[in-house]
Each structure stands twice: as structure tokens, then as C-alpha cells.
Amino acid sequence: MNLEEFKVNGHKMIDWMYEYLRDIEKYPIKPNIKPREIYNSLPNKAPFEGEKFNKIFDDFEKKIIPGMTHWQNPNFHAFFPANSSYPSILAEMLISTMGAQCMMWDTSPAATELEELVTDWIKDSMGLPKNWKGVINDTASVGTICSLITAREEKTNFKSNHEGIQNNRFKIYCSKEAHSSVEKAVRTIGIGSNNLKKINTNSNLSMNFVELEKEIKKDLKNNYTPLAIISTFGTTGTVAFDSLKDIGKIAKKYKIWHHIDAAYAGVILFLEEYKHNAKYIKNADSLIFNPHKWMLTNFDCSLYFAKDKNKLIKALEIHPEYLKSKESEINNYKDWSLQLGRRFRALKLWFVIRSYGLKGIKKYLKNHISLAIYLYKRISKNKNFELTTELNVNMINFRLNPKLKNLSNKQLESLNEKLINNLNKTGKIYLSHTVINGIYSIRMPIASTSINKTNIEKSWELIKSVSNDIIK
Ligand code: PLP
């Protein structure tokens, strides 16, 4: 493809993107295909001769699109959303066009300085302490690894990077509802899953901090070294909130590193009604939050905030000759995280924040929260359904439970599994599940970028009608 053809094809693709997003509800959200169907439909050898773009694009439309899950459909309610928005998509196009690798200030000064600026903007908007500093990673999983490496290095006087962990006596704590990325991070940094204590939760699924303190005391008595506590501000299953206040106190009392996983719900700190939580963050050591979940920014974009950026850098920096920089007073973000090469993610955040403004972002969040309240109330009034937790921000957890049928938990599990499967098969909605205190529940976060009240009404009608077919 030459530059002129790039221009013609680029225009065509913008038209395609426009139509895709305009008609997104016409695509079945979850494709109805069998494993390996796509793989087997494509040639098993790479083409020797280059092919015409039209042909490639044709195959994209005919063979790839039917096998895609359409995450931007407003009726996608599975897992957590991967928000996207027009300004963010356009920024992604510019990022790809420039193709800059933003590992150091020298390799892209504007990218580096914009990263500092947008992370400062977000830090202020969330009410995080002024002296904290942010960096943009691909995912929260990486952020948690960076946090735990910093904790490990600090505790070992920055020796374990060189000598490896000697005589591992470390213990790390999170709740049973913490995301699996915590355990992965604990494995990755060489401490081992067996040294991760998953603390029981209270009935609202927040960490039982009384038990946390008991475990810490027990470990100290047995000559273990409590290394870090990970609290979750918005758990994956139900968006439950660990008490930052109480866990923060415990971390301070026993001088334990405290990392906050706010990957999904961190964005609510933009809202005045949730701002009070920010004051408990100042005693923590790090916090992660993903604009790529619920803040209108295309995947990937995950923020890591460090109380002390110098500790983070000291734990992660490495300076081979070919990457030495003569500049001072600059940030070389390669030293703030795991990977060397970095995309220019700050641009999409800058486009999003400027396009929506803080006012627009708050309005966006509040709209989702009020739609969730609306649906939650509708479900609560229907005798065939049961809400399985309170409404946490914009996350509804519920199950089909026709009271008259008097079904056991096990029977209800198969009933609700069937309900999710049948609903997902319609292609008009996509839901996933979790288990809450032994109860199989449907999760429904209301957070798609373009969702509106009509979508909610239609989804609820669909849920009721598919349920009626199952229970009749
Ligand atoms: N933490 C929480 C609470 C999550 O819900 C998730 C993913 O859903 C993660 C961490 C991991 O996020 P990522 O995919 O950015 O690594």
C-alpha cells in the first residue's frame, strides 16, 4: 500500500467505523460459533505474495467480524466493560500514525510530559494526595506487580533485585474477593501463592479487617514478615469496598505496605459523593485505576499512582549504556514499570478529558448510576427474581428465584446458568456470573459507553421473557 492508497483506504475505514458504531446493536453481541471455526476458515499458510487491501478488508468483514464479541454494544454487561469513546478512538488513530515508542523523555518528550500532565489532572480530580505521582501502564495486573516489587525491595533494602529473595518468610494479605491478578503478582515476584493470605469477608463482601489484624499478629508471632496488604476499592464480583480507613490503620500500625486496587471503581472518586474516601488513601503506598474500564478510554490504559515515586523508580530502574540519557529533571517512564517499550497512551486520556471535561465525565458516571438504581428497583419488585447483594454503585447482582417453586440452591444454580446461556444465545445481551457466599448470581454492571434507558428497558424485558420460557 502506498501513501495515496493509505489515504483512500483510511477514508473508507472511517466510514466503516462510523457505520459499525451506528449499527452496533444489529450485531449479535456474542458470536454463535464453535471453537476453531475462525482458525479453520482461514488459510493455514501465510501468503507469499502481498495481497490487495480490498481483499484483506473483505475477509475482515466476512470472516473476522462474525467471530467477534462486540464489547461496545450498549447491552454488553458481562465482566467489566472496556469503555471506548469517539475522541479516544481518534486519539488511538493518531497514536498509531505517529507510531512513537515512549520509553524515555528523549524518545518522545511531548508524550512523556503529557503523561505527567494527565496523570496529575486525574490525581487532582480523584482527590489523591498532591505529592503522589502517576504513570500509565497497560493493565492493572502490571500495576500490582510493580507495587509488590517496590514493597519487596523496600523491605529488603533494595537487595532482593540483585540477590533474589533469601529465606522467604514474607506474607501478603488480600480478601477472598480480591482479583486474581493479586495472586498472579504474588507468584510473579517470587513470594508464592502459599504466602498469600486470603482473608474472609464480611456479609457485604468487604475484607474482614479484624481477621486481617489477627492473621498479621499470628504471622509476626511465628516470625513471618508481613510484606503487603492489598485492599480492593470495588471488587470484581460485586463492587464491594474494603475499608480503606481500617485497613490503612492496620497497615500503618504494623508498617506494612498498602496497595489499593481501584481498577474498576477508582473513577467514582471524581464524584463529590464518593470523595470522602480519598482522605484514607493518603496513608497507602500505591493505587491503581483503569480508565479503560469505566472512563471512556480505549483499552489499554491503566494508571498507577505512587506515594513515593523514588521508591518505585529505585525498585524498577535499570540503565544499560544504550539507554542512558543526559537530561535531568525529566521522567523516563521505562523506569517506572516493567516494560521498556511504551505506547503513547496519554494522548487518548488527554483527548477524553478535554472532550468531556470533568463535568461531562461526572455526568456520564451519574447517568450509569441512576440507570442502575432504576433497574435495581425494577428487579426488586419482581417476585420471580431475587437481588443477591445491595446495589454497589452501578453493579447489580441478582438471580432468578421463582418463590413458588421452592428450589434448592443447586437447582437455582442450574436454572440461572441456563438463563445466562439462553440470554447470551439471543445475541441481544451479554451477561456473566459470580458466586456470592455460595449463591450463583448474575452480574450486571451498567457501564457501557452508549447505554441509555431504552437499552435498560429492553434488556429487562428480555431477561423476564427468557426467564418465563425457562420456568413455565
Ligand atoms: N483488579 C480488579 C478489581 C479487576 O476487576 C480487574 C479486572 O477486571 C483487574 C484488577 C485486572 O485488570 P487488568 O485487566 O487491567 O489487569
Side-chain angles (χ1 to χ4, degrees):
M1 187 184 301
N2 62 31
L3 188 59
E4 290 314 309
E5 288 167 335
F6 167 73
K7 183 177 167 190
V8 173
N9 288 323
H11 282 290
K12 269 199 219 152
M13 284 191 33
I14 279 283
D15 285 343
W16 186 90
M17 288 154 72
Y18 161 79
E19 283 166 20
Y20 172 78
L21 292 172
R22 186 194 59 196
D23 300 337
I24 189 131
E25 287 188 64
K26 293 188 184 150
Y27 295 88
I29 305 184
K30 194 166 180 266
N32 205 353
I33 57 163
K34 297 196 182 64
R36 302 199 69 74
E37 211 174 301
I38 305 295
Y39 183 92
N40 291 334
S41 74
L42 298 169
N44 59 6
K45 289 270 183 296
F48 182 67
E49 299 285 352
E51 299 180 68
K52 286 270 173 259
F53 187 74
N54 278 350
K55 185 161 179 296
I56 304 171
F57 196 73
D58 199 46
D59 279 348
F60 162 73
E61 279 196 291
K62 296 202 176 103
K63 300 197 166 156
I64 304 300
I65 283 290
M68 289 301 291
T69 296
H70 298 282
W71 282 66
Q72 302 314 320
N73 187 308
N75 308 308
F76 179 104
H77 301 295
F79 315 107
F80 275 142
N83 271 187
S84 151
S85 64
Y86 308 130
S88 167
I89 297 169
L90 294 177
E92 281 282 16
M93 289 166 67
L94 300 181
I95 295 165
S96 304
T97 305
M98 290 182 286
Q101 214 275 49
C102 309
M103 56 189 170
M104 296 157 70
W105 184 86
D106 293 88
T107 65
S108 276
T112 302
E113 295 186 13
L114 198 62
E115 184 155 340
E116 179 168 2
L117 184 84
V118 289
T119 50
D120 278 351
W121 279 2
I122 292 183
K123 175 184 76 182
D124 292 345
S125 309
M126 292 170 75
L128 300 182
K130 294 246 171 301
N131 57 341
W132 284 40
K133 282 307 239 183
V135 56
I136 310 181
N137 286 321
D138 51 359
T139 56
S141 304
V142 164
T144 296
I145 295 173
C146 292
S147 176
L148 293 185
I149 291 176
T150 317
R152 184 196 69 195
E153 289 310 299
E154 188 192 39
K155 199 54 127 196
T156 59
N157 290 322
F158 293 84
K159 281 190 186 147
S160 51
N161 259 343
H162 302 279
E163 298 170 3
I165 300 175
Q166 312 286 312
N167 218 340
N168 183 13
R169 302 289 295 169
F170 290 128
K171 293 284 175 199
I172 296 180
Y173 310 84
C174 66
S175 92
K176 287 198 164 143
E177 290 292 316
H179 190 262
S180 59
S181 53
V182 172
E183 181 159 352
K184 203 173 228 189
V186 172
R187 291 179 184 182
T188 308
I189 71 157
I191 303 238
S193 294
N194 292 350
N195 293 308
L196 175 65
K197 288 205 157 165
K198 295 184 184 171
I199 307 295
N200 283 318
T201 51
N202 303 308
S203 59
N204 66 2
L205 300 178
S206 67
M207 193 195 295
N208 179 336
F209 55 83
V210 176
E211 187 181 307
L212 169 71
E213 185 164 15
K214 266 193 209 146
E215 288 299 322
I216 292 170
K217 282 187 180 158
K218 195 161 90 191
D219 289 336
L220 284 168
K221 209 162 144 213
N222 292 324
N223 283 327
Y224 287 107
T225 306
L227 179 65
I229 305 167
I230 293 97
S231 46
T232 312
F233 186 75
T235 59
T236 313
T238 64
V239 189
F241 293 90
D242 291 344
S243 167
L244 300 183
K245 180 178 171 197
D246 296 291
I247 297 173
K249 271 192 206 154
I250 294 171
K252 198 167 170 198
K253 180 168 165 194
Y254 296 94
K255 297 194 175 53
I256 303 174
W257 183 269
H258 183 198
H259 173 60
I260 301 172
D261 177 354
Y264 174 68
V267 68
I268 60 170
L269 294 174
F270 276 64
L271 300 176
E272 295 316 314
E273 46 276 47
Y274 293 97
K275 273 266 160 36
H276 60 274
N277 291 288
K279 67 176 176 289
Y280 303 117
I281 294 173
K282 70 176 189 298
N283 290 327
D285 293 281
S286 55
L287 176 142
I288 45 173
F289 146 56
N290 285 0
H292 73 222
K293 288 198 190 308
W294 188 24
M295 201 188 119
L296 298 153
T297 310
N298 279 65
F299 187 84
D300 52 10
C301 186
S302 176
L303 304 181
Y304 180 92
F305 288 102
K307 176 197 225 150
D308 183 346
K309 70 170 191 200
N310 295 323
K311 278 186 201 163
L312 176 72
I313 296 171
K314 198 169 168 196
L316 294 169
E317 69 189 340
I318 192 153
H319 302 288
E321 193 52 41
Y322 44 84
L323 294 176
K324 284 193 175 143
S325 166
K326 295 225 161 35
E327 304 294 342
S328 55
E329 305 277 311
I330 49 150
N331 292 335
N332 287 322
Y333 286 120
K334 73 177 178 62
D335 293 324
W336 295 50
S337 187
L338 298 185
Q339 64 193 97
L340 168 64
R342 318 177 69 252
R343 301 179 68 235
F344 184 7
R345 300 188 183 92
L347 194 71
K348 53 187 168 182
L349 263 185
W350 194 53
F351 271 42
V352 165
I353 299 170
R354 290 187 60 187
S355 297
Y356 286 83
L358 296 177
K359 187 171 154 196
I361 294 172
K362 287 180 193 187
K363 191 169 159 209
Y364 173 75
L365 300 171
K366 282 186 174 176
N367 180 42
H368 285 159
I369 295 169
S370 63
L371 289 175
I373 294 171
Y374 173 75
L375 180 57
Y376 185 86
K377 284 188 182 153
R378 297 285 300 265
I379 298 175
S380 72
K381 289 189 184 126
N382 190 300
K383 59 182 182 348
N384 282 335
F385 289 88
E386 176 190 359
L387 291 155
T388 47
T389 54
E390 61 192 36
L391 177 68
N392 285 328
V393 192
N394 59 341
M395 170 67 94
I396 303 169
N397 292 89
F398 67 101
R399 68 174 171 177
L400 174 63
N401 185 358
K403 301 282 169 339
L404 291 176
K405 300 219 165 197
N406 218 355
L407 300 173
S408 71
N409 243 348
K410 200 80 211 134
Q411 288 168 315
L412 285 170
E413 177 168 337
S414 357
L415 190 74
N416 281 276
E417 212 175 336
K418 189 166 174 199
L419 174 59
I420 291 187
N421 284 337
N422 288 4
L423 280 165
N424 291 349
K425 268 194 220 144
T426 66
K428 295 197 170 98
I429 193 167
Y430 189 9
L431 294 165
S432 57
H433 80 279
T434 190
V435 174
I436 303 170
N437 296 325
I439 291 179
Y440 182 99
S441 294
I442 302 174
R443 298 166 74 250
M444 195 164 172
I446 306 297
S448 312
T449 304
S450 58
I451 194 168
N452 57 35
K453 200 161 173 186
T454 312
N455 298 125
I456 295 282
E457 297 283 8
K458 280 192 188 159
S459 291
W460 178 226
E461 289 310 315
L462 185 67
I463 294 169
K464 284 190 298 185
S465 90
V466 173
S467 302
N468 286 339
D469 289 345
I470 295 180
I471 55 181
K472 76 178 172 213

